[in-house]
């Protein structure tokens, strides 16, 4: 008996032979052709589950390949930036001001020449290029020249009091009122204590406002803060330093006009 074959039957047999090696879910009815997706006993829901499983596996493999390619590209670009940047890729400097103690605040101030460096202004001052540069300069200068900034605040306060002499009387009277409350009403145990303390507080506020003491304090704080921000952000950390040469006889001081960083490069 002659068997008639067609291209459709040949293709179906090839697909069945190739799919026989793929793990298949157990058919719902009968063990016949358990590993063949073209089995007549395989239910439609099992065939759909097999197709969905293969599609998920293909999507997972594609996503993993894309993630691996992106990670390699990111690593290569970061390595190239580090090689091209050199010293500019250095880690960020640790700030010192958050860890300042009372001993740091009581440090003696630096000499005014070293603090201002007006004779070498072009080498000692520059506008910061980035925000990180400004933060690093401000942190280092405040940590090193905190005594000088306190002196600047005292000088500004004296100038403001000279402008408004009654402000000194107002601050003295307000301080005396608070001291009296601390001596006589340190602990509030009765209602009248609370009333007296509130009345003294309101009276001290009125005295501060009438004598312009509050305005003088605000002006002093704003001027000092503005000077500290401007000086701290613009003064370079590698500014030329004052060095001694030989024995200190008379004017035995010399201004070194080259910054330490430039000397190291040379």
């Amino acid at each position: 008996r002659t068997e008639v074959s067609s291209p459709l039957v040949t293709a179906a047999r090839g697909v069945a032979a190739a799919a026989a090696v793929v793990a298949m879910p157990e058919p719902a009815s009968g063990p016949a052709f358990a590993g063949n997706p073209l089995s007549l006993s395989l239910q439609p829901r099992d065939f759909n589950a097999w197709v969905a499983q293969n599609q998920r596996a293909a999507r997972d493999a594609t996503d993993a390949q894309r993630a691996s390619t992106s990670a390699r590209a990111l690593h290569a670009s970061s390595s190239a930036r580090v090689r091209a940047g050199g010293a500019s890729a250095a880690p960020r400097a640790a700030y010192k001001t958050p860890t300042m103690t009372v001993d740091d605040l009581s440090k003696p101030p630096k000499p005014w020449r070293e603090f201002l460096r007006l004779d070498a202004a072009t080498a000692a001052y520059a506008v910061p290029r980035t925000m990180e540069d400004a933060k690093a300069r401000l942190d280092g200068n405040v940590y090193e020249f905190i005594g000088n900034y306190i002196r600047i605040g005292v000088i500004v306060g004296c100038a403001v009091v000279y402008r408004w002499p009654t402000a000194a009387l107002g601050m003295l009277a307000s301080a005396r009122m608070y001291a009296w409350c601390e001596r006589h009403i340190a602990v509030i145990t009765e209602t009248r204590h609370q009333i007296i303390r509130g009345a003294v507080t309101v009276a001290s506020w009125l005295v501060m406002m009438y004598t312009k003491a509050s305005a003088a304090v605000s002006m002093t704080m704003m001027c000092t803060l503005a000077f500290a921000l401007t000086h701290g952000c613009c003064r370079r950390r590698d500014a030329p330093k004052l060095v001694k040469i030989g024995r200190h006889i008379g004017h035995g001081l010399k201004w070194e006009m080259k910054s330490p960083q430039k000397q190291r490069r040379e």
Side-chain angles (χ1 to χ4, degrees):
R1 189 174 53 181
T2 305
E3 182 179 356
V4 180
S5 62
S6 63
L8 181 60
V9 175
T10 304
R13 289 178 179 176
V15 172
V21 297
V22 181
M24 288 296 300
E26 189 69 16
S29 61
F33 303 104
N36 193 342
L38 299 180
S39 174
L40 298 178
S41 62
L42 190 66
Q43 297 297 325
R45 62 175 180 271
D46 298 327
F47 180 77
N48 294 334
W50 174 77
V51 173
Q53 180 182 1
N54 287 335
Q55 289 178 351
R56 285 195 300 270
R59 286 196 300 266
D60 294 342
T62 303
D63 294 341
Q65 184 177 4
R66 289 178 180 175
S68 178
T69 304
S70 301
R72 288 196 299 268
L74 181 61
H75 178 71
S77 61
S78 62
S79 301
R81 285 196 300 268
V82 169
R83 289 193 299 268
S88 61
R92 297 169 58 182
Y95 296 136
K96 301 178 181 179
T97 50
T99 60
M100 292 181 65
T101 61
V102 178
D103 295 336
D104 296 326
L105 296 176
S106 60
K107 291 188 301 185
K110 301 288 185 180
W112 287 107
R113 286 185 176 180
E114 182 179 356
F115 173 62
L116 297 176
R117 291 311 318 270
L118 296 179
D119 57 342
T122 56
Y125 294 92
V127 178
R129 298 181 179 180
T130 61
M131 183 60 67
E132 292 297 330
D133 189 16
K135 290 180 179 179
R137 289 185 185 182
L138 182 61
D139 176 79
N141 288 325
V142 169
Y143 183 80
E144 184 176 0
F145 302 112
I146 183 64
N148 300 90
Y149 292 135
I150 294 176
R151 279 190 175 183
I152 292 293
V154 173
I155 294 174
V156 173
C158 293
V160 172
V161 170
Y162 179 79
R163 174 65 177 81
W164 295 319
T166 56
L169 299 177
M171 287 186 285
L172 180 60
S174 179
R176 289 293 183 86
M177 291 181 184
Y178 278 109
W180 183 87
C181 285
E182 291 297 329
R183 287 197 306 267
H184 296 84
I185 317 177
V187 179
I188 299 176
T189 57
E190 300 179 5
T191 306
R192 63 186 184 90
H193 292 167
Q194 186 174 3
I195 295 175
I196 294 174
R197 194 177 185 88
V200 171
T201 302
V202 173
S204 64
W205 289 349
L206 294 176
V207 170
M208 292 279 289
M209 294 175 60
Y210 180 76
T211 59
K212 297 183 179 180
S214 57
V217 173
S218 301
M219 181 67 68
T220 302
M221 293 178 61
M222 288 190 297
C223 292
T224 305
L225 183 61
F227 177 84
L229 287 175
T230 305
H231 180 271
C233 293
C234 294
R235 191 183 191 282
R236 300 175 54 179
R237 297 300 301 150
D238 59 347
K241 297 184 179 298
L242 182 66
V243 295
K244 295 182 179 180
I245 55 173
R247 191 184 306 174
H248 181 69
I249 302 176
H251 300 283
L253 297 177
K254 176 185 177 183
W255 291 105
E256 184 63 40
M257 301 308 297
K258 293 183 179 179
S259 64
Q261 184 177 3
K262 186 175 181 181
Q263 289 180 354
R264 287 194 298 269
R265 288 198 302 265
E266 293 178 354

